[in-house]
Amino acid sequence: MTSPRKKYIIANWKMNFTPGQSSIYLQRLANRIPAQRSIQIVLAPTTVSLQPLSLQVDRRQFKLAAQNFYWRDYGAYTGETSVTQIRTFVDYALVGHSERRYVFNESEEDIAQKVAAAIRNGLTPILCIGETAVERKDGETAATIYRQLTNGLHEVSKEDISKVVIAYEPVWAISSNKNAKPAKPADLDEAVRLIRSHISKLYGKQIGEDISVLYGGSVNADTAGGYLDVEGVDGLLIGGASLIADSFCAIVETAKEKFNER
Ligand code: PEP
């Protein structure tokens, strides 16, 4: 049976590609990936590419996401870009990515404010959560997931929670990590259940069932299918493999097959 939850394949290009290269790469993907009815494909280029790509992209084919923004609307915040400045370029925004949390020391309060700012400005926040290797080793996976959800969503009302997408990205599985180790599908089975049960506790059972939950961490064309087979996984957030057109297109093909089977 097809789940009513929205399905996603999200490409996080991180700090790669100049605006010119982004434009060429977008065109390459556009030539190879037809508009999907059952899957929302979202591309997250670096901030400086958002404006030109927003003029180029066919939003029926791909939506754009911000990788980062500051949560205040305007003011004396040198070097920052507010969500109000980019909201017309994008439909989605990554929030709480582990590279923001651990490389740039973004706090859980910053993350909560960003989730709220995205919603206030009509964007869908993709809230990334996940435990570090140490938290996992110490048996704190569930506690970390609960804490990051509770804190990250504390400004989000019951009316607005349906506007949020959750991405489970265990930090130890993300390819930018020195000792990255791909997760096993069984690892995410447990995590996705914990996420849904905690969202149910915060917002009610139905919302826990209805919210889209994605997986991210070293996904490639060979492993995507195994992750998409895990019950309750509604798509993938892809870093490294999204920078290679063949890999990304193969992942989209796999997702199409898997979601059509459900
Ligand atoms: C990410 O950074 O969100 C990610 C999942 O990266 P990678 O696929 O390269 O592990």
Side-chain angles (χ1 to χ4, degrees), residues 206-256:
Q206 194 58 46
I207 290 170
E209 282 168 20
D210 290 349
I211 196 160
S212 292
V213 180
L214 319 182
Y215 171 69
S218 296
V219 177
N220 60 38
D222 296 328
T223 57
Y227 295 128
L228 290 170
D229 280 338
V230 174
E231 182 154 347
V233 171
D234 299 309
L236 301 168
L237 173 48
I238 299 150
S242 75
L243 299 171
I244 304 159
D246 284 346
S247 304
F248 189 65
C249 293
I251 292 168
V252 171
E253 271 309 303
T254 302
K256 233 164 47 179

Side-chain angles (χ1 to χ4, degrees), residues 12 14 97 99 169 173-176 216-219 237-241:
N12 177 10
K14 308 197 185 190
H97 189 280
E99 288 152 19
E169 298 210 298
I174 294 188
S175 70
S176 56
S218 296
V219 177
L237 173 48
I238 299 150

